[in-house]
Amino acid sequence: MRHPVQRAGLPTPSGLRGGPINLDYNATTPVDPRVIEAMRPYLTTHFGNPSSSHHYAEQPRRALASARQQVARLIGAAPDELVFTGNGSEADSLAIHGTISAHRPLTAVHPVRRARASDLRERRPRLIALARDRARRG
């Protein structure tokens, strides 16, 4: 029985030792211990909704802004171009709805949706160019 390859000096997750190799990382993956440590304060102490206006939202809101800056720097994007989602299904839905909104006629559409679709159409060329540039660089 082969075990998963260790990466970045991290041990094989205990749930994968001694069993078959897990090829279904679409649904869930082991969490890097460094991510667990970085998240611990927001899972135990500072667990407020960063979108809320109350006191408990302040720390998570700052942490989210910091994470957005870090990811933006990592991929060469602007922080306001990033959308964090709760899971893959939510991300897929957002991408599908955004694409549909950007391409369908906007008659009989709620004004807020019409404005969002118009914004997507305006930004689409830049987003496509960014994606193509990333693909070329590998």
Side-chain angles (χ1 to χ4, degrees):
M1 164 92 22
R2 292 183 59 218
H3 292 284
V5 176
Q6 291 183 350
R7 305 227 181 231
L10 297 174
T12 300
S14 60
L16 298 179
R17 286 189 211 123
I21 296 173
N22 180 9
L23 298 177
D24 184 15
Y25 272 31
N26 289 326
T28 187
T29 60
V31 178
D32 185 303
R34 295 169 293 186
V35 174
I36 293 170
E37 282 309 307
M39 286 296 303
R40 188 177 310 279
Y42 307 100
L43 298 171
T44 59
T45 306
H46 306 295
F47 48 85
N49 180 345
S51 298
S52 295
S53 60
H54 53 67
H55 168 78
Y56 298 104
E58 292 174 22
Q59 285 281 53
R61 187 173 23 257
R62 284 196 291 269
L64 186 59
S66 176
R68 193 177 305 281
Q69 289 280 344
Q70 291 172 345
V71 172
R73 270 194 308 273
L74 181 68
I75 65 171
D80 66 347
E81 293 176 310
L82 300 179
V83 176
F84 292 150
T85 62
N87 56 53
S89 296
E90 185 179 346
D92 290 349
S93 179
L94 181 63
I96 291 166
H97 284 90
T99 300
I100 291 169
S101 295
H103 289 91
R104 73 175 174 211
L106 296 177
T107 57
V109 174
H110 190 278
V112 172
R113 288 193 181 141
R114 187 176 310 124
R116 178 70 181 132
S118 177
D119 178 57
L120 283 169
R121 270 199 301 279
E122 289 174 17
R123 295 177 62 189
R124 184 172 176 265
R126 183 161 185 259
L127 295 172
I128 289 172
L130 182 64
R132 286 183 180 149
D133 183 53
R134 296 285 176 265
R136 272 194 299 269
R137 286 195 267 159

